[in-house]
Amino acid sequence: MDKQQKVWYITGASKGLGLSLVKQLLTAGHKVAATSRNIDELKKAVGEDLPNFLPLAVNLKDETSVKASVDATVASFGQLDVVVNNAGYGLVGSLEELSDKESRENFEVNVFGALNVIRTTMPYLRAQQSGHIFNIASVGGFFGDFPGFGIYCATKFAVVGLSESLAAEVKEFGIKVTVVQPGYFRTSFLTNGSLGVPENPITAYAAVRASQNAHQEGINGNQQGDPEKAAAVLIKVADAENPPVHLFLGQDAYDLADQKILTVQQDMDAWENLATSTAFEQVNA
């Protein structure tokens, strides 16, 4: 295998950022194993009978299914270099109106699906003492001031947190970890097929309904971010000698992150004297 050619394993690859990434990688000559719940949709989107392309039907909530796909990737391409946990979906609804089942399902896919992939791919990456894991989160995993997106933000905050710990855990094995926190990109993310809504909405939540309508009607289709450019950024980061642990994507992501940092700093400054007065009193002998 050419030294510059890598083997990528990408989840949620039949649309959006995942699909853009798969197509660019294949054009560049890389080998790509791509997963989707619907393999026919994936093949139709990418193409069939491509020598460097391995389409895989995977249920990310099923460890056996994930393991079979990872084993097939290594069996087909001989190694595994870059893992992209891209699969996930949005969920809008207040914390009160979203049911336990609706909330847990979002975590099952967005968080535990990624963990299933990480647990399954790590033995290969550890054995070869190299690799790069990209976990696709969201700026909503850093900035949570979005009415109606509490559960979704919670899943993405979880992805950011586990990515930071993972980066510290696998550093000794020569493995890199980058958590990607995009802003708004023009994909199908805000369409009915990718954005869940509560089965039993509560009309009293005016701010939540306004946020929901704004995302579904106003923002959807008008996002400033280009997924093709985002995919190109990820490929460049994968080639970097010292890739970042945190990668915010898009000017809007940067703006929201700056706003969050400023707000936290202001809260810390305003309450520092009281909040740091919590130590045991020093007793002099």
Side-chain angles (χ1 to χ4, degrees), residues 33-269:
T35 83
S36 174
R37 290 172 298 174
N38 188 328
I39 195 169
D40 292 330
E41 181 181 343
L42 178 59
K43 290 178 179 178
K44 182 179 179 180
V46 179
E48 297 190 56
D49 301 323
L50 302 175
N52 287 349
F53 177 53
L54 179 64
L56 298 160
V58 176
N59 176 5
L60 292 176
K61 297 185 293 182
D62 183 344
E63 285 187 286
T64 301
S65 178
V66 173
K67 186 178 187 306
S69 70
V70 173
D71 290 345
T73 299
V74 177
S76 296
F77 297 139
Q79 65 188 65
L80 181 60
D81 300 301
V82 185
V83 175
V84 183
N85 279 307
N86 172 68
Y89 71 95
L91 180 65
V92 57
S94 73
L95 295 177
E96 179 186 355
E97 65 192 349
L98 287 171
S99 68
D100 180 76
K101 180 180 179 181
E102 289 168 326
S103 301
R104 288 179 183 273
E105 182 66 15
N106 206 212
F107 272 89
E108 283 286 348
V109 176
N110 292 5
V111 180
F112 292 102
L115 284 172
N116 285 341
V117 171
I118 291 167
R119 277 194 298 268
T120 305
T121 56
M122 273 303 303
Y124 289 108
L125 303 182
R126 274 194 300 105
Q128 66 193 28
Q129 296 285 291
S130 66
H132 195 153
I133 297 174
F134 286 90
N135 292 325
I136 309 300
S138 165
V139 70
F142 186 77
F143 181 96
D145 190 12
F146 297 102
F149 284 87
I151 293 298
Y152 173 75
C153 286
T155 68
K156 294 306 183 178
F157 267 79
V159 171
V160 172
L162 69 86
S163 297
E164 291 178 351
S165 293
L166 180 65
E169 292 170 359
V170 304
K171 184 178 180 180
E172 63 183 293
F173 306 119
I175 300 167
K176 310 295 184 182
V177 176
T178 297
V179 59
V180 185
Q181 299 174 75
Y184 291 105
F185 279 79
R186 201 171 300 178
T187 67
S188 60
F189 179 74
L190 294 177
T191 61
N192 291 335
S194 298
L195 182 65
V197 297
E199 183 177 348
N200 297 301
I202 300 173
T203 57
Y205 282 99
V208 171
R209 296 288 81 77
S211 177
Q212 178 180 341
N213 291 335
H215 281 81
Q216 292 180 312
E217 305 299 334
I219 297 174
N220 184 35
N222 296 305
Q223 301 96 322
Q224 292 301 304
D226 183 345
E228 295 296 325
K229 292 182 178 179
V233 170
L234 296 189
I235 294 171
K236 289 183 179 180
V237 171
D239 288 333
E241 184 175 349
N242 296 302
V245 174
H246 304 91
L247 179 65
F248 289 90
L249 278 183
Q251 185 62 56
D252 55 348
Y254 265 74
D255 291 344
L256 290 172
D258 285 339
Q259 182 179 335
K260 167 69 176 285
I261 292 167
L262 177 61
T263 300
V264 171
Q265 191 63 59
Q266 289 173 339
D267 285 346
M268 290 178 66
D269 291 345

